[in-house]
């Protein structure tokens, strides 16, 4: 049920939310708010209908000409993205969004959302005026206020965003230039009411939970590991064929996750047994036979699909992980979840700056290597080595993973370890990303 309206351009591009709305009453309620938010923020232009549905263009009739009350005649200075997270899972990486809403649940009921502003992952090599940034929480609002909050924040970006330098046009730069408190004051002035104090919450992780989960209405949901998000029959692994066979009998949904995986959702108890048989027949699994490192990996499409790519990502990361897994196994870390992300350029489509191990393509076979992001997505990574190839990457990880296995504290994640051990500095604000 996707559409292509506002899928690109300088408008609100998307509203991300939990992938399985029917896993609980809370998730279902939050999902409904995300739909309302998405619909409310769609541009009013009829260009889609004129181009694709042969609708006659309205010209020269003032009362019939398009009016964009929120976006204005020039739209926004740059694209805008929104995400809604339901703690303790940060599966949509809420801090990477221009505007994030964090669901607050008290006594089993949704009481509202914490509001976070100014996130974004993209940057430009060699330009220190560009950087990834984390959204910062500025307060709390009740559920029925999120449409108003989102609209007024978008209007602030419309009026104050940088229209001269496109590389500095995202909302994160507007917030950093004006200051968090002045932006909050401007928001409250436009709203005509004040945000409440932010409520307490916590995140455990920013990945997917694999396998079967039972949700509402006695329905089941199976999260399938899809490496690199690529659904195809590859050698003996008949992923596409198997999913097509499941689709022939499945009466529920197929849902995409923010971590490139696939959920076979809303499976009835009657269909579950047959779907399990098909999963086994075609070898489609939750990835448990893979290392936890591989199951925590994300890569952008990069070459040959993306014209911006400087290096490989989707096609190369699985090959690199094959070699890293040997190091992981040597150190008894096969079941240790470590987020690893790779992009072919610095635009951030695989959210590299939120990976405990991150790689940004610099040129053919060369990457900048980053370390130290938080496992729950609340801290950025820091550059560790610049412009290195596979041999150097493996040599570095051989030392780092060996130290991690021997020196880590109980329950200490890899991203925390490299900071606590003094290997890289902590980065909690993108303005310090290049320091």
């Amino acid at each position: 049920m996707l559409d292509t309206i506002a899928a690109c351009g300088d408008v609100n591009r998307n509203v991300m939310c939990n992938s399985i709305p029917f896993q609980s009453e809370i998730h279902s309620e939050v999902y409904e708010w995300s739909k309302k938010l998405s619909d409310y923020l769609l541009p009013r232009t009829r260009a889609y209908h004129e181009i694709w549905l042969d609708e006659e263009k309205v010209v020269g009739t003032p009362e019939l000409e398009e009016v964009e009350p929120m976006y204005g005649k020039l739209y926004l200075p740059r694209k805008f993205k929104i995400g809604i997270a339901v703690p303790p899972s940060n599966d949509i990486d809420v801090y990477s969004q221009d505007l994030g809403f964090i669901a607050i649940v008290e006594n089993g009921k949704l009481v509202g959302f914490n509001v976070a502003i100014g996130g974004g992952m993209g940057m430009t090599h060699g330009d220190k005026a560009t950087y990834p940034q984390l959204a910062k929480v500025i307060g709390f609002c009740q559920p029925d206020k999120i449409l108003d909050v989102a609209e007024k924040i978008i209007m602030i970006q419309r009026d104050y965003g940088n229209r001269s330098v496109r590389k500095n046009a995202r909302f994160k730069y507007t917030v950093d230039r004006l200051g968090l408190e002045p932006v909050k004051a401007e928001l409250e002035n436009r709203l005509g009411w004040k945000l409440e104090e932010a409520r307490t919450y916590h995140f455990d992780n920013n990945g997917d939970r694999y396998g079967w989960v039972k949700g509402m209405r006695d329905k089941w949901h199976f999260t399938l590991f899809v490496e690199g998000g690529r659904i195809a029959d590859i050698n003996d692994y008949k992923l596409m064929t198997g999913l097509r066979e499941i689709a022939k009998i499945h009466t529920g949904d197929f849902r995409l996750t923010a971590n490139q995986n696939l959920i076979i959702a809303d499976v009835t108890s009657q269909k579950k047994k047959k779907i399990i048989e098909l999963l086994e027949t075609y070898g489609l699994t939750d990835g448990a036979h893979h290392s936890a490192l591989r199951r925590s990996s994300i890569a952008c499409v990069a070459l040959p699909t993306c014209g911006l790519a400087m290096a490989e990502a989707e096609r190369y990361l699985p090959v690199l992980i094959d070699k890293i897994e040997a190091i992981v196994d040597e150190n008894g870390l096969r079941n240790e979840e470590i987020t690893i992300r790779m992009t072919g350029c610095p635009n951030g489509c695989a959210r590299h700056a939120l990976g405990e191990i991150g790689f940004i393509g610099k040129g053919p076979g060369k990457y900048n290597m980053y370390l130290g992001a938080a496992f729950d997505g609340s801290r950025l990574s820091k550059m560790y080595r610049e412009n290195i190839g596979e041999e150097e990457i493996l040599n570095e990880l051989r030392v780092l993973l060996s130290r991690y296995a021997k020196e880590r504290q109980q329950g200490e994640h890899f991203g925390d370890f490299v900071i606590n051990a003094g290997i890289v500095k902590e980065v909690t604000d993108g303005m310090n990303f290049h320091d």
Side-chain angles (χ1 to χ4, degrees):
M1 302 304 292
L2 299 174
D3 66 52
T4 56
I5 298 175
C8 61
D10 296 331
V11 294
N12 179 57
R13 291 273 188 93
N14 54 260
V15 177
M16 296 185 73
C17 192
N18 50 273
S19 298
I20 316 176
F22 302 119
Q23 59 186 292
S24 75
E25 294 285 354
I26 294 296
H27 288 85
S28 181
E29 186 177 359
V30 170
Y31 179 71
E32 289 303 315
W33 280 113
S34 76
K35 287 167 57 180
K36 291 177 184 177
L37 192 59
S38 179
D39 291 342
Y40 186 74
L41 299 178
L42 285 177
R44 304 295 181 232
T45 177
R46 301 293 295 178
Y48 175 96
H49 305 80
E50 293 164 9
I51 294 170
W52 299 108
L53 303 179
D54 296 327
E55 183 177 283
E56 184 177 350
K57 184 173 178 61
V58 178
V59 179
T61 309
E63 65 272 17
L64 295 179
E65 289 186 356
E66 293 177 349
V67 176
E68 291 281 6
M70 177 170 55
Y71 291 110
K73 291 183 178 181
L74 299 177
Y75 292 93
L76 301 179
R78 196 70 171 84
K79 63 184 177 182
F80 197 92
K81 297 184 178 183
I82 297 175
I84 306 180
V86 183
S89 174
N90 186 20
D91 56 341
I92 59 96
D93 268 330
V94 70
Y95 303 114
S96 72
Q97 311 287 341
D98 293 275
L99 170 59
F101 290 106
I102 301 167
I104 303 299
V105 179
E106 296 177 357
N107 299 318
K109 292 187 176 181
L110 176 70
V111 296
F113 299 89
N114 280 351
V115 181
I117 63 172
M121 291 291 99
M123 65 176 192
T124 301
H125 281 315
D127 185 351
K128 292 188 176 182
T130 67
Y131 47 83
Q133 182 59 289
L134 297 167
K136 297 174 179 64
V137 175
I138 58 171
F140 169 88
C141 71
Q142 296 174 7
D144 61 354
K145 301 292 179 63
I146 66 170
L147 304 186
D148 198 12
V149 169
E151 178 184 52
K152 298 306 188 294
I153 286 176
I154 284 175
M155 292 171 77
I156 290 172
Q157 168 65 348
R158 177 198 68 191
D159 295 341
Y160 291 98
N162 190 335
R163 293 186 182 271
S164 299
V165 183
R166 193 162 175 81
K167 289 181 179 180
N168 292 104
R170 288 292 294 272
F171 186 49
K172 61 183 177 182
Y173 300 118
T174 306
V175 173
D176 290 346
R177 174 168 45 85
L178 299 178
L180 193 66
E181 288 304 317
V183 171
K184 179 182 177 182
E186 177 68 15
L187 169 63
E188 292 177 338
N189 180 57
R190 295 187 184 219
L191 289 170
W193 50 271
K194 291 186 179 295
L195 296 173
E196 298 177 37
E197 289 293 320
R199 305 288 178 91
T200 301
Y201 68 96
H202 82 278
F203 289 123
D204 291 335
N205 63 81
N206 63 344
D208 292 332
R209 302 296 92 182
Y210 295 105
W212 286 103
V213 174
K214 189 174 185 180
M216 298 163 52
R217 304 174 306 187
D218 291 326
K219 296 290 184 67
W220 291 85
H221 315 281
F222 183 82
T223 301
L224 175 72
F225 172 65
V226 181
E227 190 163 21
R230 183 66 60 182
I231 295 178
D233 287 351
I234 302 171
N235 300 324
D236 295 331
Y237 185 45
K238 303 300 181 184
L239 176 58
M240 175 69 83
T241 299
L243 287 173
R244 282 177 169 162
E245 290 302 310
I246 290 171
K248 291 177 182 178
I249 66 164
H250 181 38
T251 54
D253 300 330
F254 291 92
R255 292 181 170 269
L256 309 178
T257 81
N259 294 292
Q260 302 183 327
N261 297 306
L262 182 75
I263 301 172
I264 305 170
D266 283 350
V267 177
T268 64
S269 296
Q270 294 80 8
K271 297 285 187 181
K272 184 184 175 188
K273 182 178 180 181
K274 180 59 178 174
I275 288 177
I276 289 175
E277 291 176 359
L278 288 170
L279 289 170
E280 292 175 348
T281 297
Y282 291 96
L284 312 188
T285 74
D286 58 6
H289 62 290
H290 291 308
S291 67
L293 178 77
R294 189 181 297 273
R295 286 183 279 120
S296 301
S297 65
I298 303 177
C300 74
V301 295
L303 299 171
T305 307
C306 177
L308 299 176
M310 304 172 185
E312 294 279 359
E314 180 197 330
R315 297 190 298 187
Y316 174 57
L317 184 58
V319 177
L320 180 62
I321 290 178
D322 285 342
K323 298 172 183 180
I324 298 174
E325 278 180 332
I327 301 170
V328 164
D329 290 343
E330 288 171 8
N331 290 282
L333 298 173
R334 188 169 186 81
N335 296 319
E336 194 68 36
E337 290 182 292
I338 302 172
T339 54
I340 180 169
R341 298 178 175 184
M342 176 177 282
T343 60
C345 83
N347 283 303
C349 296
R351 308 191 295 281
H352 56 263
L354 293 176
E356 292 177 284
I357 302 172
F359 298 99
I360 302 178
K362 197 75 183 291
K366 297 291 184 179
Y367 300 85
N368 289 348
M369 181 177 175
Y370 292 77
L371 302 172
F375 187 70
D376 66 358
S378 63
R379 183 181 62 239
L380 296 170
S381 59
K382 181 76 174 173
M383 189 190 293
Y384 176 66
R385 293 288 183 266
E386 186 174 8
N387 201 32
I388 61 175
E390 182 178 288
E391 183 177 354
E392 294 162 287
I393 289 171
L394 294 175
N395 287 340
E396 293 289 353
L397 287 176
R398 189 169 287 108
V399 174
L400 292 168
L401 291 171
S402 177
R403 285 192 61 184
Y404 176 56
K406 296 172 183 174
E407 301 173 21
R408 60 179 167 157
Q409 300 297 313
Q410 181 73 28
E412 188 176 30
H413 288 291
F414 181 75
D416 298 328
F417 170 78
V418 295
I419 288 169
N420 295 335
I423 296 167
V424 294
K425 293 181 180 179
E426 182 179 44
V427 182
T428 57
D429 190 300
M431 288 190 284
N432 302 322
F433 186 75
H434 298 295
D435 291 348

